[in-house]
Amino acid sequence: MNGIQEVDGSIPFSSTIFTKSGWYHGSLASRPLRTRGFLIMAKGVVPVQEKYQFSAVEEKWQKKWEEEKPYEARSNQGQKYYCLEMFPYPSGRLHMGHVRNYSIGDVVARFHRMQGDNVIHPMGWDAFGLPAENAAIKHGIHPAEWTWQNIDHMRAQMKRLGLSYDWSREVASCAPEYYRWTQWFFLQLYKKGLAYKKKAAVNWCPSCATVLANEQVVDGRCERCDTEVTRTDLEQWFFKITDYADKLLANLEKLTGWPDKVKIMQENWIGRSEGVEAFFKTENGLPLPVFTTRPDTIYGVTYMVVAPEHPVVDELIKGTPNEAVVRRFIAEVRAQDDITRTSTETEKKGIFSGAYAINPVNGAKIPIWLANYVLASYGTGAVMGVPAHDQRDFEFARKYGLPVVVVIQPLDRELDAAAMREAYVDEGRLVRSGRFDGMENLAAIREIGRYMEEKGVGKRTVNYRLRDWLVSRQRYWGAPIPIVYCPECGTVPVPEKDLPVLLPRDVEFTPHGESPLAKSESFVNTTCPHCGGPARRETDTMDTFVCSSWYFARYTDASNRDLPFAKAEADYWLPVDQYIGGVEHAILHLMYARFFTMVMHDLGLLETEEPFTNLLTQGMVLMEGSKMSKSRGNIVDPDEIVNTYGADTARLFILFAAPPERDLEWSEQGVEGSYRFLSRVWRLVADLEPRIGTAPDDSRSGKVAQAGTGGDLPRSARDLRRQTHLTIKKVSEDISQRFNFNTAISSIMELVNAAYLYKDRVPVEEQVPGVLRELVETLLLLLAPFAPHLTEELWHELGNARSIHGMPWPRYDPAALAAEEVTIVVQVNGKVRDRLTVPIEIDPEELKEMALGMEKVREFIGGKSVGNVVVVPKKLVNIVAR
């Protein structure tokens, strides 16, 4: 048919449309648009234009997925798979780090759906925190309004990326229906004795007017606002995570799907050490216990160091001549955060207290010093100085002229304390150690510990670096702590039936001062749940890490109004099979989530003790070697990439540019290359569609077209089919076993190259439609997790009725992988001289003749005689010439 025709219907795949704006190929308007009024030129098959029209394609399928909700999960529907990326803080806009994190997770989720697993892939918002309050102060907008606006925008960005989330399970930690259960968990911990309040020295940011965790202090400054951090004493709420220290440590062995570096970081943070608590006392008899892992060196103690904030210090310095000087030193040290004080790069500073202690094993009188490197919160807050056998103690002793006493001598020489330039920390025999002289020091560790217990001057014990979790925050935008203070009844938990304790709206946000909650009379003034008398509410809110320590469990039953989640739902879905996020969360978030899961298990809420079976920590996105940040001006807006190249291009580049666990260098050329590749795929399918026809009935029902096998296919078709099945094998292994998405994509690219070579070099009449159709459908299926919009569109254009994302993952045919040729190495006297490509089943005698007839071989043999020819089938021929 020739000429121009007005039609009413959907635009055919290969049509060309003329509108007032010009000519368009039908693939541009491949949405099921009604075409009344369009003029269609019936020209037959027209090559697709250079750029595939991603905007129309992506908008079409996002709308369809929104309507049909194909990614909503239901429990008890077969083998479950829980894929989860760490939920984001709703700062307002996604950055490329988000895109990388969520694209990785989406590939995993889509792959497992196609594998037949029942996949849950939820998303939500870690929505409490200081930035919302700072925005309220800066812009005069309520934190709730600012947060929900940001959530709406970021949700829309995620949907534009084609992420296959189950939005019916969406949670936001700032929603009352969520933080009601955060408060409920606080009460459960309180009932179990795992939540308590005590006065503690804390990091205080004067600008943010809040307590900071040690990890939120960077080089002595607040990580948020860069203000210098001070130390102050406040009544604070803590969770007793130390009760779970042994289990947190022991269970690390079970986490075989976690990176070793993360487990080592957690092991070091828990810091379990076995040793002896030695019962030192001051001259006046005040107890001053010391924990040490080296009791074999206790006879070499020449001084003690006590933390400046240790409660015994006031008694030690009161009334001494240097009291004023010492107190100035204490104030200076307390202004430093704990991390700075204990850093190996920080100068060790000390001052003599004027008091002395008594060594419990030999009665020696030793000076008591105060120093910046000892913390009251670690161990007993006091350490013994053994400068001959500890490098830090040695440097401190030399700096302040303190004595050095050798009590462990090496076996091959004798140490002179005066001549020592560093501490001796290796093995040896004890000297100057009373009854233990001559004993090997490793044995002495055990024997001296036993001796001290027998004499009542010490006890063997276990110490931890892990401290209890400080959860109090003096801010508004967080989950209120559900506690009431009554003059008659004391500390009273809010009854569960009265939860949630809602955040009030009548608050004033100022950059300085106490928590805005403390100024809200409607919030503070309440009645005691026990006696009904007047009472005051706790005005601290919880650390946002509390909210993120159980959210993965809420996803399993997000709409439950009676419980945080039903046990049956949680036990079906948990633990999370694959957790994905940044390595910066290796300690705090992951440790707290593990602690919370153990508590939930002990409360009978869960069967599992561990939340995450497998963990992937993805690298950062860099530009010119630096992390992207607003302050550096090197931010790439994901919306700009999506608008210019499409969501599938953004996803493909971010997955192709580097392995997920490594940092990724941003490259505009790389983005353009990914776009060109998708355009090649589009053109390839469009070009081949007329040759391979519409989908057969079995393909419509969910099967990939299968090509013929064996000798009935031409050699070129067999080679192409082999490439197809090699790609299936490689991509499947790269995704399921290694998460090597970059090499998986590279294999798909090689398949596309092979398809173009076949299409362009093999005469059309010799091409095998079945082989081509198998290749095209396999190509789209393998590419579907990476580029969901383009593959969905092309899949349907081929006549398939079902969504490509509901199709089974292709399986390779082992018979198709068999190579028909092999490359043979040809050696002369053991040295490689040439190579041969021959049929894989070639006769060995024929192979010998071919090798001996090669020109390069003849050159190296020269006038020598051939003594022997060794043939190793399918590998090499070695010619021995003399």
Side-chain angles (χ1 to χ4, degrees), residues 46 532 650:
V46 179

Side-chain angles (χ1 to χ4, degrees), residues 451-604:
Y451 169 78
M452 293 177 70
E453 281 191 325
E454 291 173 354
K455 294 298 182 181
V457 296
K459 64 177 181 180
R460 287 173 289 185
T461 186
V462 175
N463 195 39
Y464 297 91
R465 181 177 183 270
L466 180 68
R467 302 291 90 194
D468 281 340
W469 177 7
L470 191 162
V471 298
S472 288
R473 295 294 181 269
Q474 290 68 45
R475 300 307 298 169
Y476 168 82
W477 195 235
I481 294 176
I483 292 291
V484 167
Y485 302 106
C486 173
E488 301 296 328
C489 306
T491 301
V492 181
V494 173
E496 292 178 16
K497 65 179 179 61
D498 294 336
L499 299 179
V501 177
L502 293 171
L503 288 167
R505 299 285 295 196
D506 61 335
V507 293
E508 180 183 357
F509 298 98
T510 59
H512 305 288
E514 61 184 336
S515 165
L517 287 179
K519 302 175 184 177
S520 171
E521 293 188 7
S522 65
F523 178 80
V524 173
N525 298 321
T526 186
T527 56
C528 174
H530 283 180
C531 68
R536 293 177 63 82
R537 290 194 188 279
E538 170 64 73
T539 58
D540 283 359
T541 53
M542 281 184 254
D543 179 10
T544 56
F545 278 116
V546 179
C547 304
S548 61
S549 292
W550 72 280
Y551 78 109
F552 47 88
R554 180 63 175 173
Y555 280 142
T556 67
D557 196 14
S559 301
N560 197 322
R561 296 184 178 182
D562 301 318
L563 294 167
F565 46 82
K567 185 174 185 297
E569 292 292 316
D571 286 344
Y572 173 76
W573 290 114
L574 291 173
V576 174
D577 294 280
Q578 185 63 60
Y579 199 36
I580 305 167
V583 73
E584 66 271 18
H585 299 294
I587 295 176
L588 293 185
H589 165 57
L590 291 174
M591 185 79 77
Y592 295 154
R594 295 182 62 219
F595 163 64
F596 244 71
T597 303
M598 292 173 183
V599 171
M600 290 189 286
H601 169 82
D602 290 348
L603 290 170

Side-chain angles (χ1 to χ4, degrees), residues 5-12 32-40:
Q5 180 185 12
E6 181 173 326
V7 300
D8 183 15
S10 297
I11 302 168
L33 295 171
R34 307 302 293 174
T35 56
R36 178 170 297 279
F38 283 78
L39 297 178
I40 298 181

Side-chain angles (χ1 to χ4, degrees), residues 18-33:
F18 180 80
T19 71
K20 293 180 180 179
S21 302
W23 287 97
Y24 290 92
H25 188 268
S27 57
L28 166 62
S30 55
R31 292 181 293 168
L33 295 171

Side-chain angles (χ1 to χ4, degrees), residues 773-844:
R773 181 159 196 102
E774 182 185 35
L775 179 147
V776 168
E777 293 194 339
T778 297
L779 165 64
L780 296 179
L781 289 165
L782 297 180
L783 190 58
F786 303 97
H789 306 91
L790 175 140
T791 53
E792 185 82 285
E793 175 69 13
L794 293 177
W795 184 256
H796 282 78
E797 292 291 1
L798 290 177
N800 294 294
R802 288 178 53 184
S803 168
I804 193 170
H805 304 296
M807 295 290 292
W809 187 256
R811 295 183 179 182
Y812 67 88
D813 178 3
L817 302 183
E820 299 188 16
E821 291 184 333
V822 65
T823 299
I824 300 294
V825 172
V826 181
Q827 300 176 337
V828 177
N829 293 334
K831 295 184 178 180
V832 177
R833 299 306 184 189
D834 210 341
R835 285 174 173 81
L836 270 174
T837 300
V838 298
I840 198 165
E841 300 298 339
I842 189 172
D843 181 78

